[in-house]
Amino acid sequence: MKEIVQNRSASEQNTRVADIFRKYQAQLKGFISRRVSSKEDSEDILQNVFYQFMKYDQEDSPIEQIAAWLYSVARSQIIDRSRKHREEEMPYLSAEPTGQNRTVSGQKPTNQRFVGFFYCL
């Protein structure tokens, strides 16, 4: 008897998640696509948002405003993705008389100044 109740509850949960996905998928995809340049990145972020939603334990603390929660998670995922892209090599301005820019991997060399430009959402 207990297995039947658990299966029904899991089935109801899957139906609820599917309904929420259908309701918010297009809106969230547009929201993410306007803020991320790559189509693949936007699809990955959308998938992660709904994965987080499915993982969230709603019995202990139910989500009162689902749309606000989904957009908040999407925004966090976008910020995380942009931070990861910023970790690429950055050019350093040489303090040598020639003044040539060069890229240095690893740690910042001595006698050089860090030059970088960041894109903020």
Side-chain angles (χ1 to χ4, degrees):
M1 181 73 173
K2 189 175 183 178
E3 286 181 26
I4 295 172
V5 171
Q6 287 177 343
N7 287 338
R8 188 177 66 194
S9 137
S11 175
E12 290 172 359
Q13 176 69 10
N14 289 342
T15 303
R16 181 171 181 265
V17 168
D19 290 342
I20 291 170
F21 178 80
R22 278 191 289 278
K23 183 175 181 180
Y24 293 106
Q25 183 260 346
Q27 296 170 358
L28 277 171
K29 188 173 185 176
F31 175 80
I32 296 166
S33 295
R34 287 189 300 273
R35 289 160 176 79
V36 176
S37 60
S38 167
K39 180 181 177 184
E40 291 80 14
D41 283 349
S42 66
E43 290 172 354
D44 288 346
I45 290 171
L46 182 65
Q47 182 178 2
N48 287 339
V49 169
F50 282 104
Y51 173 74
Q52 293 295 323
F53 179 71
M54 288 179 62
K55 222 171 68 167
Y56 188 80
D57 186 10
Q58 296 188 29
E59 289 183 16
D60 289 342
S61 56
I63 300 170
E64 293 180 20
Q65 296 181 349
I66 292 173
W69 189 91
L70 291 171
Y71 280 93
S72 175
V73 172
R75 192 174 303 109
S76 296
Q77 292 283 323
I78 292 167
I79 291 169
D80 290 347
R81 182 70 50 122
S82 69
R83 285 181 183 152
K84 287 179 184 176
H85 285 285
R86 284 188 205 154
E87 293 175 0
E88 298 171 2
E89 293 182 357
M90 297 296 294
Y92 286 90
L93 183 60
S94 175
E96 298 170 4
T98 58
Q100 296 175 344
N101 288 341
R102 62 181 175 156
T103 302
V104 178
S105 299
Q107 56 188 350
K108 182 178 172 183
T110 57
N111 298 330
Q112 291 190 352
R113 216 170 19 137
F114 179 75
V115 177
F117 299 95
F118 296 98
Y119 172 76
C120 298
L121 296 175

